Amino acid sequence: MIYDVTVIGAGAIGTSVAYHLCKKGFSVALIDRGDIASGSSSHCDAVALISDKAPGLDTKMGDASIRHYRELAESFSYDFEYDRKGCLYVCETEEELAAASSYAKRQAADGYDMKIVDAKTMREMEPYLADDLLGGIWTPGDIAVCPYKVCFAFVEEGKKLGLKVYPYTHISRIRLSANRMVEAVETDAGDILTKRVINCAGVWAPDVGKLVGLDIPIQPRKGMNLISEQTKRIVWHKVMEFGYMMSKFESINFRRNVSSLVEEYNVAFNIEYTKADNILLGGYRGFRGFDVRSELEAMQAIAERGIRFYPCLKGINCIRSYAGVRPYVKDHLPVVSAVDEVPGFYIAAGHEGDGICLSPITGKLMAQLVAGETTDFDIRRLRFSRFTEAQRTA
Amino acid sequence: MSSKGIPDDMLVCRCEEITADEIRQAIREGARDVTGVKRRVRAGMGLCQGRICEKFVQQILCQELHMGLVQTGRSTARPPVRPVPFGELARGCGNDL
Ligand SMILES: Cc1cc2nc3c(=O)[nH]c(=O)nc-3n(C[C@H](O)[C@H](O)[C@H](O)COP(=O)(O)OP(=O)(O)OC[C@H]3O[C@@H](n4cnc5c(N)ncnc54)[C@H](O)[C@@H]3O)c2cc1C
């Protein structure tokens, strides 16, 4: 048999793309060299937010994805722990509060449900929060999901629609025809004949790209978290410091009054509870290649920053740390695109710190692209050709 | 001990209260190693971080999938080695973790 589409990579992006293609009636193979969700999508946090997005397309995709998550939670029989917990950004200084206010105003003007809350309201919402904070941004529609269960859910629901899954399958070559059209994916489980290939390999997308001679500019950007023991409730929403924006977007020029360790590791406080009553405390962003070992000083800095905002953490036990890598693209936009040079080859990768959030909408948009339909909204900025165009004009 | 000796209703992971039957179910759903089991049914995610149950999970994997112990893998070693309050961690008392 010849598949309509072969998806490479069974993370949050690939499983969603595969599921949405099945929904459109395509025959689909999903390949991963490991287990489902063995990459970044099981080494991350669990939130889907609009409140950490840049205004414009970034927020628009986040919002569409969060809405889509809700529909999926209602229609799937596999429970991926959809939880509308809302997100609270907290500000330490007047300067941060002013920046937060203008950000929230801009988003509200675009029609998103986001507003400034004062210190008193904030403490009612989060009684264990440090009492010297000035206020924050409240986004009630932001959600959490269990990221690896999202992958399992897409796979299980996809299987009902005929999805074929090839886990622990290694690709040796992507075979192209004489006119450079995708023809087959050669693996240790045999040749998988296919009309199209979609590269959803996250931080490893450049390796898969090389198989057809492409240079895909995605880099691993490390993150790390601490996990607490199961504990009584001390946090009711996703809570982050406004400085988080700064750690994500290098362009934001903002100095915080923090220790040198926190500065060095680019640590920005964020916290959330899990369904099992553990607390996840983060986080940091750094470039360390593919090294995902836990760094002790980073752990120290994350704990220090966490206690600044939730002093009661001092007495709660940390049971584990973990680290993962985000598929980072310099312009902070993913690639969701066909590749002109190789007919039948597509890319859906490079979602950096938003791959869980953007998983449903990416799957939906990619299925529309493959079907030759008009996409829900204009995604020309996500085209792969933007990199070659940039090179040409440079 | 062979995994045949582990009855379905035995609590394998006491922290998360996961039975041998649930672990066998995770294997039927596609888990092939300790980490795959953990992600599907939380065995090893509790307070002791699999220190007690990992061996049992490995044995069940060996039995169900007819594989050797090495192939069942281990959960990734991550600090801290034992639970430590965030307060101590922040003060840098983590150097011997
Ligand atoms: C600490 C941390 C916290 C985060 N928190 C959040 C959050 O709260 N919300 C959010 O939205 N995002 C978050 N992210 C980002 C999120 O984890 C990623 O954006 C997302 O997981 C990327 O998904 P993916 O499917 O593109 O990649 P992956 O999940 O990495 O999937 C790629 C798959 O491709 C497979 N693969 C690779 N090479 C090959 C090959 N040659 N052949 C076959 N298969 C191959 C891999 O095995 C892997 O399973 C966080 C990331 C980190 C590190």
Side-chain angles (χ1 to χ4, degrees):
Chain A
M1 104 162 245
I2 303 173
Y3 286 103
D4 292 323
V5 191
T6 296
V7 176
I8 300 176
I13 300 302
T15 56
S16 170
V17 166
Y19 165 81
H20 284 90
L21 286 164
C22 289
K23 271 223 89 132
K24 285 226 181 283
F26 291 105
S27 61
V28 183
L30 173 62
I31 308 180
D32 201 290
R33 63 175 172 202
D35 196 356
I36 294 150
S38 51
S40 301
S41 304
S42 55
H43 296 78
C44 56
D45 293 282
V47 286
L49 314 174
I50 56 166
S51 55
D52 67 341
K53 306 279 182 292
L57 179 61
D58 201 15
T59 307
K60 193 171 182 168
M61 283 196 296
D63 180 62
S65 214
I66 291 167
R67 286 167 198 275
H68 194 19
Y69 258 130
R70 190 195 182 123
E71 295 160 8
L72 297 171
E74 279 163 11
S75 65
F76 279 11
S77 51
Y78 195 104
D79 176 16
F80 56 81
E81 300 176 7
Y82 173 94
D83 178 10
R84 190 173 187 264
K85 50 171 70 149
C87 178
L88 188 64
Y89 259 101
V90 299
C91 298
E92 279 190 287
T93 61
E94 291 293 348
E95 194 192 4
E96 280 185 8
L97 195 58
S101 303
S102 70
Y103 171 76
K105 259 198 211 113
R106 163 104 204 255
Q107 295 286 53
D110 284 348
Y112 300 107
D113 190 2
M114 206 182 273
K115 65 171 189 216
I116 293 289
V117 287
D118 62 17
K120 182 165 165 286
T121 314
M122 210 163 73
R123 259 195 309 282
E124 278 161 18
M125 297 169 76
E126 289 290 338
Y128 290 94
L129 208 51
D131 55 18
D132 63 322
L133 300 166
L134 300 180
I137 307 175
W138 170 235
T139 312
D142 282 347
I143 66 163
V145 295
C146 174
Y148 48 89
K149 288 192 180 170
V150 164
C151 304
F152 290 135
F154 277 128
V155 166
E156 291 309 316
E157 301 292 333
K159 279 185 194 161
K160 294 180 191 166
L161 303 167
L163 174 66
K164 278 273 183 241
V165 190
Y166 297 83
Y168 299 96
T169 302
H170 293 87
I171 299 167
S172 48
R173 197 161 88 99
I174 295 173
R175 197 164 72 223
L176 305 180
S177 68
N179 47 356
R180 278 185 72 74
M181 299 251 299
V182 168
E183 198 171 77
V185 178
E186 299 179 2
T187 78
D188 56 0
D191 289 4
I192 296 172
L193 304 180
T194 186
K195 293 179 202 154
R196 305 174 187 84
V197 163
I198 305 184
N199 178 357
C200 301
V203 285
W204 301 278
D207 298 341
V208 174
K210 272 192 203 112
L211 296 175
V212 291
L214 296 177
D215 183 12
I216 304 174
I218 291 175
Q219 289 173 61
R221 194 180 196 188
K222 186 172 177 178
M224 232 183 96
N225 276 325
L226 303 179
I227 311 177
S228 81
E229 62 189 324
Q230 285 162 332
T231 174
K232 70 165 188 177
R233 226 1 127 67
I234 61 156
V235 54
W236 281 262
H237 309 91
K238 174 79 185 182
V239 184
M240 329 171 81
E241 65 168 301
F242 191 71
Y244 176 88
M245 291 282 203
M246 181 212 63
S247 84
K248 183 174 181 183
F249 301 109
E250 314 76 346
S251 56
I252 297 180
N253 230 331
F254 221 86
R255 283 249 153 234
R256 292 175 300 168
N257 185 18
V258 294
S259 72
S260 53
L261 205 60
V262 169
E263 183 80 45
E264 185 186 334
Y265 283 91
N266 197 12
V267 163
F269 158 78
N270 70 81
I271 194 168
E272 65 195 78
Y273 60 88
T274 69
K275 202 185 164 207
D277 286 325
N278 303 89
I279 291 166
L280 302 185
L281 183 66
Y284 100 105
R285 287 175 136 82
F287 293 100
R288 300 281 189 280
F290 284 90
D291 183 354
V292 289
R293 284 175 299 185
S294 296
E295 292 165 71
L296 273 175
E297 286 196 331
M299 291 172 65
Q300 227 173 292
I302 292 168
E304 177 193 319
R305 200 64 188 151
I307 290 166
R308 154 72 183 100
F309 290 93
Y310 278 77
C312 67
L313 278 172
K314 247 182 249 163
I316 293 174
N317 277 320
C318 169
I319 61 167
R320 191 175 171 84
S321 58
Y322 65 93
V325 277
R326 309 172 178 93
Y328 166 87
V329 182
K330 216 167 178 181
D331 62 11
H332 295 287
L333 287 174
V335 184
V336 181
S337 174
V339 174
D340 303 334
E341 301 90 313
V342 188
F345 195 86
Y346 297 75
I347 302 169
H351 296 72
E352 200 192 340
D354 298 310
I356 306 308
C357 176
L358 300 178
S359 148
I361 192 66
T362 301
K364 194 168 179 216
L365 292 166
M366 189 40 102
Q368 290 168 339
L369 273 184
V370 169
E373 297 167 7
T374 320
T375 47
D376 278 357
F377 41 86
D378 186 353
I379 52 165
R380 275 176 295 182
R381 286 174 63 202
L382 310 185
R383 282 188 305 201
F384 178 61
S385 58
R386 71 184 191 259
F387 304 116
T388 37
E389 278 155 18
Q391 260 169 14
R392 242 176 271 137
T393 50
Chain B
M1 197 202 330
S2 89
S3 122
K4 276 207 189 89
I6 301 179
D8 269 348
D9 60 357
M10 183 181 128
L11 266 190
V12 171
C13 169
R14 277 183 250 165
C15 302
E16 295 291 321
E17 301 185 4
I18 309 296
T19 63
D21 184 43
E22 288 170 282
I23 288 166
R24 294 195 171 102
Q25 178 60 29
I27 295 168
R28 281 193 291 276
E29 285 169 13
R32 285 206 204 169
D33 55 23
V34 168
T35 305
V37 168
K38 175 171 159 178
R39 266 182 217 132
R40 285 170 178 88
V41 290
R42 293 192 60 83
M45 275 195 180
L47 193 61
C48 91
Q49 288 291 297
R51 252 162 239 121
I52 297 168
C53 66
E54 187 161 296
K55 285 208 163 56
F56 291 111
V57 174
Q58 287 173 326
Q59 279 169 20
I60 298 173
L61 279 159
C62 287
Q63 170 82 30
E64 300 291 319
L65 298 173
H66 310 287
M67 52 168 48
L69 194 63
V70 192
Q71 289 161 279
T72 64
R74 310 196 53 185
S75 125
T76 318
R78 290 280 187 190
V81 170
R82 58 182 65 77
V84 54
F86 285 105
E88 273 179 40
L89 194 53
R91 281 204 314 272
C93 308
N95 296 333
D96 55 346
L97 299 181

